[in-house]
Amino acid sequence: MQLPAVPGAVGLSLAAFPVSYALNCVAALAHPVAIAVTGALVLLVLFCMVYLLGEGSHSQDPLFYVFTVFSFTSVIDLIISLEEDGYISGFMEFYMKEGEPYLRTAYGIMICYWDGIVHYLLYLAMIVAITQRKNYRTLGLYWLGSLMMSIVVFLPGNMLGKYSSEIRPSFLLNVPYILIPVWAGMRLFSQPKPLPCCTAEKVAAEQQRSLYQRPLDVGLILFLLVAATFTFFRGLVVLDCPSDSCFDYIYQYEPYLRDPVAYPKVQMLVYMFYVLPFFCLGIYGLLRPGCTWLPDWALVFAGAVAQAQFSHVGSSLHHRTPYPYRTPEEVWWVFLLTNVLYALGPHLLAYRCLRNPGFFQPAAPTGQDGIKKHQ
């Protein structure tokens, strides 16, 4: 029997509700080791079910199974966030006590919301694309950046923050979220790009336009310069820069950066050491034609910054964040506007690359046939 793609994935993911409720009622799951072993067994059984029921037309793309299993875990994360915010009860209490108690923090709740909503919708969209033999590379790269950003902040934050003493064996259940995205990323980058039909003459004409003839690119460059400066500034803030401007900012605008959970500090350092260089490379790619790598990496970083900003802003305002570290009400609008614009920049860059990719394609001698679209 073959698993119907989308209805099967939705049905399997919604099974997270009865499964988590049943496990919550088992008294034996009160020990950290028992919870970790049970979680691993559930994932193993789930993968075997998806593989056996999905054997057939989807089997040539192993990411079909990955996305289906991850859609189940996304619903588990949604259950965690809804239960921690008091909307439901009786599902994941056992796991939060002896499994991963740091998910009860504001940051943990926010990343569970993002995984349970945004990642879940991306999984379903990519499953549809796989079953219809369509290219899902664009969605996949956006998902890759989003998932990798959550992992590189969440895991170090757990080990460095005030919850470092409460790491249980269930922490190892995060290992697949490190290994599988690396493997999935290699597959996604190796897929053919869905290039639009564009003649060599059009590519040459686009690449010969000077910067002053591209006002939208000028605006993007200025935007990225401001974002890079803001990234560097917030990196200095969490590194305890003694300047008055850093002191005023961390106490008046983003006191969440002082929260001992360590997630905001790790987030700002990831921004400083990874996103800041990308902003500089993005500016270079808008100045020099033929940077074929920029469209792909713009998608990856757009997904990464979207996830990071959602989690950071949500945690700064969430009631689980202690009051001294929450953003003051009188600066909410400044805080929200600044952070929303910060998230918007990488998306505008990605849209620019996808909307008019001729500037980023390899230069070709005019008079040749257009660059043909991959089938």
Side-chain angles (χ1 to χ4, degrees), residues 97-223:
K97 284 183 177 180
E98 300 296 340
E100 296 188 82
Y102 36 79
L103 287 174
R104 284 182 160 170
T105 62
Y107 184 84
I109 294 171
M110 287 298 107
I111 64 170
C112 285
Y113 272 125
W114 184 268
D115 189 48
I117 299 174
V118 177
H119 286 169
Y120 182 69
L121 295 176
L122 286 173
Y123 292 139
L124 294 184
M126 289 187 286
I127 289 171
V128 171
I130 291 173
T131 57
Q132 296 180 356
R133 303 293 194 273
K134 293 182 179 179
N135 192 298
Y136 59 93
R137 194 173 186 274
T138 298
L139 290 175
L141 291 176
Y142 190 88
W143 160 80
L144 178 66
S146 176
L147 186 61
M148 290 301 295
M149 177 61 84
S150 66
I151 291 298
V152 299
V153 175
F154 180 63
L155 298 187
N158 295 335
M159 294 183 287
L160 299 175
K162 68 178 184 179
Y163 284 90
S164 59
S165 60
E166 297 192 35
I167 292 180
R168 315 287 168 78
S170 297
F171 183 78
L172 297 176
L173 295 175
N174 292 294
V175 171
Y177 285 90
I178 303 174
L179 302 179
I180 292 179
V182 173
W183 166 73
M186 295 173 63
R187 290 190 60 89
L188 288 169
F189 274 103
S190 65
Q191 289 183 4
K193 296 182 180 181
L195 292 177
C197 294
C198 189
T199 64
E201 288 81 1
K202 289 183 178 179
V203 171
E206 181 67 23
Q207 296 184 356
Q208 288 172 2
R209 294 172 63 195
S210 58
L211 184 61
Y212 73 87
Q213 295 176 310
R214 297 180 281 126
L216 294 180
D217 286 356
V218 173
L220 262 179
I221 290 173
L222 294 176
F223 203 113

Side-chain angles (χ1 to χ4, degrees), residues 42-95:
V42 168
L43 290 177
L44 181 61
V45 170
L46 183 65
F47 179 82
C48 292
M49 288 177 56
V50 172
Y51 181 79
L52 293 175
L53 296 177
E55 192 78 38
S57 60
H58 318 306
S59 59
Q60 77 281 358
D61 192 339
L63 288 179
F64 170 82
Y65 308 110
V66 172
F67 298 149
T68 303
V69 173
F70 276 14
S71 67
F72 177 88
T73 60
S74 290
V75 175
I76 291 289
D77 282 344
L78 182 60
I79 293 172
I80 290 174
S81 57
L82 292 175
E83 185 161 354
E84 289 304 310
D85 272 344
Y87 296 109
I88 58 177
S89 62
F91 289 90
M92 297 297 295
E93 184 179 356
F94 76 102
Y95 191 79

Side-chain angles (χ1 to χ4, degrees), residues 181-308:
V182 173
W183 166 73
M186 295 173 63
R187 290 190 60 89
L188 288 169
F189 274 103
S190 65
Q191 289 183 4
K193 296 182 180 181
L195 292 177
C197 294
C198 189
T199 64
E201 288 81 1
K202 289 183 178 179
V203 171
E206 181 67 23
Q207 296 184 356
Q208 288 172 2
R209 294 172 63 195
S210 58
L211 184 61
Y212 73 87
Q213 295 176 310
R214 297 180 281 126
L216 294 180
D217 286 356
V218 173
L220 262 179
I221 290 173
L222 294 176
F223 203 113
L224 293 176
L225 282 172
V226 173
T229 303
F230 186 56
T231 302
F232 183 71
F233 173 73
R234 289 204 292 187
L236 293 179
V237 168
V238 298
L239 290 174
D240 297 325
C241 176
S243 71
D244 292 340
S245 58
C246 292
F247 181 85
D248 292 341
Y249 184 81
I250 199 171
Y251 279 92
Q252 296 180 15
Y253 292 95
E254 287 200 58
Y256 178 59
L257 297 178
R258 299 186 292 114
D259 195 325
V261 293
Y263 302 121
K265 294 182 178 65
V266 175
Q267 183 67 78
M268 294 305 116
L269 292 177
V270 170
Y271 275 162
M272 188 176 187
F273 292 111
Y274 294 95
V275 178
L276 174 59
F278 171 73
F279 285 156
C280 298
L281 289 173
I283 294 171
Y284 173 82
L286 291 171
L287 293 173
R288 184 179 181 85
C291 294
T292 57
W293 47 266
L294 184 57
D296 287 347
W297 286 104
L299 281 168
V300 172
F301 276 88
V305 173
Q307 188 281 332

